[in-house]
Amino acid sequence: MIKLMIRYRVALALIGINLLLLIISPAIGRTSIEMTGNNAMEMLAVIPPIFILLGLLDVWIKRETMIKLMGEKSGLVGILIAFLMGSAAAGPLYAAFPVAGLLLKKGSKLSNVFIFIGAWSTTKIPLLLFEASAMGWKFMLTRFMINIVGIGMIAFAIEKLLGSEDKKEIYEKATEMN
């Protein structure tokens, strides 16, 4: 029981804060509970398909294949695959983290996983098309090119700044989570 409470301490703290708000200021408390419920329903709609796809990815793609395509020696191919996977994705950024964890578990290079997360957060294809129609192609292409450079620079800088122990810990935690 205590182990469960520790595991879900953040959710329990949010429930406690909502209840406290409801007591102190009922109007704000009701709004907070309503917003929390809406966010929880949105997450419940997004997370199950992501985990189904993760399960299929875990079963269908062998670790050796993933290492070959996105591992330490994958080079430009790994970068392009990571970028395309992130750009083709749909859904909120929090849905990218379980996928990133699986990529790490399968042996993907850390910078490729950072590129995947960066692409998921900033270069989604449907959003690029919307942005082009709303802001114009010149603006969209300028932002897109800056983002490509920025994502790459950030991913490689983070990988270089992390020590071997940090990287080992990240891979171990990814393996434990999946």
Side-chain angles (χ1 to χ4, degrees), residues 51-115:
F51 279 97
I52 289 171
L53 289 174
L54 282 177
L56 294 173
L57 184 68
D58 198 18
V59 172
W60 287 347
I61 299 178
K62 294 179 182 173
R63 182 176 164 78
E64 295 77 24
T65 304
M66 186 65 76
I67 289 172
K68 180 181 173 189
L69 294 174
M70 293 183 68
E72 286 295 326
K73 297 179 180 175
S74 61
L76 188 59
V77 171
I79 293 170
L80 288 175
I81 290 172
F83 187 79
L84 290 174
M85 280 177 60
S87 294
L93 183 59
Y94 60 77
F97 295 114
V99 179
L102 184 64
L103 292 175
L104 289 170
K105 177 185 166 190
K106 291 278 189 174
S108 294
K109 186 177 180 182
L110 198 54
S111 62
N112 287 341
V113 175
F114 292 143
I115 289 170

